[in-house]
Amino acid sequence: MLTRIDHIGIACLDLDATVEFYRATYGFEVFHTEVNEEQGVREAMLRINGTDDGGSSWIQLLEPTREDSTVAKWLAKNGEGVHHIAFGTDDVDGAAGIIGGRGVRVLYDEPRRGSMGSRITFLHPKDCHGVLTELVTSATSAPADESGGH
């Protein structure tokens, strides 16, 4: 059902400065950037490695674009740091149904569009020992970033 850790989402106040930290400190490069208007974030995806199931593992850096976004509210309360963990699955609908059937609250009735054209939903942190958990089905091919590349 769940095949890998897809990504760790990290909330930050300054996306450019945080990208530079990950580049200078760990050598990670930005693979993809986008603005998700629905979620009110500007994000950068840094690819860590490929995985056995053909997916990848990522660090997702999230900067709020508006004060009423979930990430902005989280930053105001918690400061910068780990915001969520995401598990990859080849069937986000099926995985959400199974996990929901086990008593965990699924936050979206239907999966939504996530980074790079993926389909996502979240699980309530109070049902996951305090961890906001995302389920992700990756798109078959990643779209170009804002600058026209990948």
Side-chain angles (χ1 to χ4, degrees):
M1 174 174 58
L2 302 179
T3 59
R4 69 186 179 285
I5 295 175
D6 185 86
H7 67 271
I8 306 296
I10 299 173
C12 61
L13 296 169
D14 182 335
L15 185 66
D16 297 328
T18 307
V19 162
E20 184 52 36
F21 169 81
Y22 277 86
R23 181 178 292 137
T25 305
Y26 305 118
F28 298 151
E29 294 295 331
V30 173
F31 179 84
H32 175 83
T33 61
E34 70 181 81
V35 173
N36 185 319
E37 296 294 342
E38 180 184 2
Q39 294 181 22
V41 295
R42 184 169 76 108
E43 65 178 83
M45 297 295 283
L46 289 69
R47 185 175 184 269
I48 308 306
N49 67 319
T51 61
D52 291 344
D53 67 357
S56 296
S57 293
W58 310 86
I59 296 291
Q60 178 187 47
L61 303 176
L62 301 160
E63 174 191 70
T65 59
R66 57 179 198 263
E67 292 181 19
D68 68 337
S69 74
T70 302
V71 172
K73 292 174 187 174
W74 189 91
L75 275 165
K77 181 178 178 183
N78 300 292
E80 293 184 302
V82 174
H83 179 261
H84 67 273
I85 186 169
F87 294 109
T89 176
D90 61 0
D91 180 9
V92 70
D93 300 275
I98 290 168
I99 293 168
R102 295 176 179 163
V104 175
R105 287 174 280 179
V106 179
L107 298 182
Y108 301 154
D109 290 334
E110 295 290 326
R112 297 181 183 179
R113 184 194 176 283
S115 300
M116 300 183 292
S118 63
R119 295 185 71 238
I120 65 166
T121 194
F122 285 91
L123 308 176
H124 200 293
K126 289 185 178 177
D127 298 342
C128 299
H129 296 270
V131 178
L132 179 60
T133 303
E134 183 178 2
L135 304 178
V136 179
T137 296
S138 299
T140 53
S141 62
D145 69 15
E146 295 169 327
S147 63
H150 268 59

